[in-house]
Amino acid sequence: MSKFYQECTPKTIQAWEEAVKKNPDAEWHFNKISKILPFLKKVMPRIGNGQSLFGLSIVCLSVKPKRKAYEEKIVRYGLEPLLKANILTEEEAGKIVQWFLKTKPTWNSGGAGYFTKDFEIDGTKYRLITDSYRGFRDLNIQILH
């Protein structure tokens, strides 16, 4: 799974907290670290190796595996931390998996918003959203202002 994901670890959290202490406006892939930290601390997500312009990618696929079972395994692996943290229900995870299985990585294979869910952690509001653009299919987390 290392081809598809980076693991968020306590060491990752510590490094990002130190970055914020040095620069409160520090960003990672256009995401303000101070705003994404509450989510990272609670969920310890797997982060997609590819990254979207539309948010921090939890799942990011630019390929369509030949076997649906393998694609489902890849997506579910990325969703596990969200399920464990009670951010997603199994039913919601199933909807996300089905979206990945039915879409193909093309220039614009359906746009954004098939699945959205808003939630809050420690006073910071977030949105999970699927999007497909320029050959990448993503489940992103966005910081709501």
Side-chain angles (χ1 to χ4, degrees), residues 52-106:
S52 171
L53 296 175
F54 304 114
L56 180 68
S57 294
I58 302 301
V59 179
C60 180
L61 297 180
S62 63
V63 296
K64 185 76 172 170
K66 291 181 182 175
R67 293 179 308 141
K68 280 188 173 189
Y70 185 56
E71 184 172 22
E72 182 171 350
K73 183 177 178 182
I74 294 166
V75 174
R76 285 201 174 272
Y77 184 80
L79 299 178
E80 282 176 2
L82 296 165
L83 286 160
K84 287 179 184 173
N86 294 316
I87 302 296
L88 287 177
T89 65
E90 184 56 47
E91 181 181 339
E92 292 165 332
K95 287 179 183 180
I96 293 166
V97 168
Q98 288 308 308
W99 180 82
F100 275 94
L101 293 176
K102 76 177 188 177
T103 58
K104 294 182 174 125
T106 61

Side-chain angles (χ1 to χ4, degrees), residues 18 22 59 65 72 90 110-111 120 134:
E18 289 172 13
K22 291 178 185 174
V59 179
E72 182 171 350
E90 184 56 47
E120 187 174 323
R134 295 189 179 185

